[in-house]
Amino acid sequence: MCTLHTLDQGVWAVSTSARSSYHHGDLRNACLHAAWGMLAEGDVASLSLRAVARRAGVSANAPYRHFADKDALLTAVVARGYDELRLALATADEGARPGEHHVDMGIAYVHFALDHPAVFRLMFSNSCRSDPEVQSAALSTAMVLARRVMAVTPATEVDTVLMASWATVHGLATLILDGRVAPRGPAKLDGLVRDVIRATTSFGET
Amino acid sequence: MCTLHTLDQGVWAVSTSARSSYHHGDLRNACLHAAWGMLAEGDVASLSLRAVARRAGVSANAPYRHFADKDALLTAVVARGYDELRLALATADEGARPGEHHVDMGIAYVHFALDHPAVFRLMFSNSCRSDPEVQSAALSTAMVLARRVMAVTPATEVDTVLMASWATVHGLATLILDGRVAPRGPAKLDGLVRDVIRATTSFGET
DNA sequence: TGTACATCAGTGAACGCGCGTTCACTGATGTAC
DNA sequence: TGTACATCAGTGAACGCGCGTTCACTGATGTAC
């Protein structure tokens, strides 16, 4: 059903293994993987094309065979980010406890942000908001939320409720990420998300 | 009562006027003003200390008399940002229509974000979250929201409701800023904020 | 099966650039006497 | 009131750095005959 592989395993792992030949074989993916890894360790400002090439074990200009410029690389990373987020949300929705779909999806959303802070910030920066690939990836991600909202909301209110749900969970993720809101102890994170979502959800779940 | 001046007028305007003497007189404020202006036109990545000095009409290293390094300047800008936001929220709260305090403060919050996108992003980035001046400025800002929440919420739920309110309006501001949620026409912005806040506010207002 | 050749995906060196920051210095200001 | 001097707040030149990107080139691969 879902053919998407997570970036930390599966087909991606191969691309980081030592290469024996002059040709890399999968440099595009290796660059994305390297960029993803570097964003896990630092922020966007510290990510340079040269460093990505270095980490992929390749000369500084080799990435230009696969990306028009630095922006194109970042755009591709962001698109992957949305794919990952969409997968995480869909998985949470599928495995949700009865009557807890919103809460479990919200928890997954916040966890994604905390697990990939720099990627998350990049996804919601204005730098690549107008790229078509990113826009479509963002839209499919939003659709996962939308489907759940539509299942339990009168048609006339779907727009507002979708925005409200998304805004709440997105804002919460951002505020926690930035240290403006602090769950007391990591075990309390899920409870905090649950409480906030319940406090803002006036519509029922079936 | 409130002695804070907005950055675009009042005492700040003076600091950008042509200077006649070797000594600037108010270079610290002039730097902050220049940085603020540059952030209004571009993003954080395009803001350099040298450019700030240039705009302030001063040599590249003059700012070092007033800021230890570039980070210190950014930190000061962020602190000012929180001051401005706090002022905007307090003003909105004071002048709110009866029973609409949450809505009007939310609208003010979103407007601040849209009026100062780069500053807003910088305020909620992790770069200066641990600076004491910033932390205290952020705390006083949050207190403006907290006071309003406390006025209408049972004590046991204040924490959760405060987080929920803040998260919702902050998330909404962020999503609009990033183009993920688009009010249809600028006149519709306030209505969108109002609808979302009403949809997520289950507690009453007196 | 062997060979010539086009194409693809790398290399290494170089470019100009703007940056943050430091240095020795200088003009202006204020204060003690 | 005048002068010597310490202090403050600027200047201009220079530093090393890593960056994005381009260039001519080369090793590997695949395909036509």
Side-chain angles (χ1 to χ4, degrees), chain A residues 19 22-24 27 59 61-62 65-66:
Chain A
R19 106 189 119 110
Y22 186 89
H23 287 108
H24 185 286
L27 184 54
S59 74
N61 49 5
R65 290 284 150 200
H66 303 276

Side-chain angles (χ1 to χ4, degrees), chain B:
Chain B
M1 184 85 62
C2 183
T3 60
L4 190 71
H5 294 266
T6 61
L7 297 178
D8 295 329
Q9 56 192 29
V11 74
W12 277 54
V14 178
S15 58
T16 51
S17 57
R19 109 190 116 110
S20 50
S21 95
Y22 186 89
H23 286 109
H24 186 286
D26 194 19
L27 185 52
R28 188 188 149 86
N29 270 328
C31 285
L32 289 176
H33 192 264
W36 189 273
M38 297 180 64
L39 287 175
E41 292 158 18
D43 63 338
V44 201
S46 65
L47 186 146
S48 70
L49 243 195
R50 295 179 90 103
V52 165
R54 233 176 281 133
R55 185 186 265 237
V58 114
S59 74
N61 49 7
Y64 283 94
R65 289 282 150 202
H66 304 275
F67 302 96
D69 53 23
K70 187 187 179 184
D71 254 15
L73 204 190
L74 288 182
T75 295
V77 168
V78 166
R80 290 262 182 172
Y82 276 108
D83 288 343
E84 290 283 315
L85 176 56
R86 176 165 44 83
L87 178 59
L89 291 177
T91 304
D93 193 18
E94 246 174 76
R97 300 158 294 178
E100 298 280 330
H101 284 89
H102 284 91
V103 170
D104 286 350
M105 288 172 81
I107 289 172
Y109 195 102
V110 172
H111 274 134
F112 176 86
L114 296 182
D115 288 345
H116 314 286
V119 173
F120 184 77
R121 282 208 180 82
L122 194 57
M123 286 162 62
F124 294 95
S125 76
N126 60 346
S127 57
C128 50
R129 54 185 267 186
S130 55
D131 177 85
E133 191 192 0
V134 167
Q135 278 187 340
S136 115
L139 196 63
S140 350
T141 303
M143 280 308 294
V144 178
L145 291 174
R147 263 196 299 275
R148 177 50 51 191
V149 168
M150 283 188 288
V152 297
T153 310
T156 56
E157 294 172 29
V158 164
D159 271 12
T160 300
V161 172
L162 172 58
M163 278 190 292
S165 309
W166 193 6
T168 301
V169 77
H170 184 77
L172 190 57
T174 308
L175 291 176
I176 294 173
L177 204 56
D178 299 331
R180 300 291 170 230
V181 157
R184 297 196 194 84
K188 296 293 172 63
L189 176 62
D190 293 5
L192 189 157
V193 177
R194 186 195 61 223
D195 290 348
V196 164
I197 289 180
R198 282 187 183 156
T200 54
T201 305
S202 52
F203 48 94
E205 253 196 58
T206 47

Side-chain angles (χ1 to χ4, degrees), chain A residues 109-120:
Chain A
Y109 196 102
V110 172
H111 274 134
F112 177 87
L114 296 183
D115 288 345
H116 314 285
V119 173
F120 184 77

